[in-house]
């Protein structure tokens, strides 16, 4: 999970994608080539576009599916020139000091610094191969003696009170289809789908739900309402299957990504603890 997205990076990706994918550029802009610093790719009214900036732009374009080529480099430089021309004109037109501009520039700066701080923190506190291996071993051990991953195809009904859940359960016991009752009373976002959730693993649901699913047979509905922090639930086990866990090499990328997300979340949580936060 990348907690923060650079607005500036997003803007440049959009610009590059729009120009390079369609091949549309404005008429050629002539820049004075002589006298530029060594690391300069171009200059617009004295403002330098560095080769480092161009390389970053190329990386963004490549991440959007573009192919590296001399034409791509020219397109990226061209777009930097266009952006500079427009931003300089905005300065002349007095737009740079508007409330909207100041607000957006502040957000761009904050997001960039947040990205930078997370990158710096992760560089100093990297996820090691040993960390990934330990997490994999822990997850495999949690599967129990059979070492299999149990997956459940689930439907649920979410309501606000135990009384509402019991009333829905009584209707199901009298023969009404689970999906019909779900469409009638459920408060969940999957109401229109008759409460269908799809396939989940035990670790992806709360322990209260997981323990109920483990003891249901295919087609059965929980025999009593289940209380969670969000409300009261009924669950139906539509189907069940078991599979072998992935090998370490197969699981390594996703485990590493999960550990990165966890470490970043813990870091932000620690900063929040040491800060004064007031919400309206």
């Amino acid at each position: 999970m990348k907690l923060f997205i650079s607005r500036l990076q997003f803007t440049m990706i959009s610009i590059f994608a729009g120009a390079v994918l369609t091949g549309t550029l404005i008429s050629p802009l002539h820049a004075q080539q002589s006298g530029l610093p060594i690391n300069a790719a171009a200059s617009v009214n004295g403002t330098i576009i560095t080769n480092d900036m161009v390389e970053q732009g190329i990386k963004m374009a490549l991440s959007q599916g573009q192919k590296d080529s001399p034409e791509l480099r020219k397109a990226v430089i061209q777009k930097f020139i266009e952006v500079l021309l427009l931003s300089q004109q905005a300065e002349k037109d007095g737009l740079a000091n508007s409330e909207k501009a100041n607000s957006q520039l502040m957000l761009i700066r904050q997001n960039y610094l947040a990205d930078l701080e997370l990158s710096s923190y992760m560089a100093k506190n990297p996820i090691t191969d040993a960390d990934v291996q330990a997490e994999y071993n822990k997850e495999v051990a949690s599967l129990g003696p059979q070492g299999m991953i149990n997956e459940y195809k689930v439907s649920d009904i979410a309501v606000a009170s135990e009384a509402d859940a019991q009333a829905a359960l009584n209707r199901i016991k009298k023969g009404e289809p689970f999906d019909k009752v779900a469409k009638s009373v459920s408060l969940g976002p999957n109401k229109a789908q008759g409460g269908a959730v799809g396939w989940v693993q035990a670790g992806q649901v709360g322990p209260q739900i997981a323990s109920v699913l483990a003891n249901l047979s295919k087609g059965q509905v929980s025999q009593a309402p289940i209380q969670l922090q969000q409300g009261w639930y009924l669950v139906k086990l539509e189907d069940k299957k078991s599979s072998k866990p992935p090998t370490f090499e197969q699981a390594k990328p996703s485990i590493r990504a999960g550990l990165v997300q966890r470490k970043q979340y813990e870091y932000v949580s620690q900063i929040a603890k040491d800060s004064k936060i007031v919400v309206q």
Side-chain angles (χ1 to χ4, degrees), residues 1-6 9 110-112 114-115 118 268:
M1 173 183 66
K2 191 165 186 181
L3 299 179
F4 304 96
I5 301 174
S6 166
Q9 185 183 52
Q110 289 175 347
N111 280 289
Y112 174 75
D115 275 341
L118 279 179
V268 174

Side-chain angles (χ1 to χ4, degrees), residues 155-158 178-197:
S155 294
D156 68 15
I157 295 173
F178 188 95
D179 61 342
K180 181 180 178 181
V181 177
K183 289 178 180 179
S184 172
V185 302
S186 182
L187 302 176
N190 54 344
K191 174 179 180 177
Q193 291 74 44
V197 175

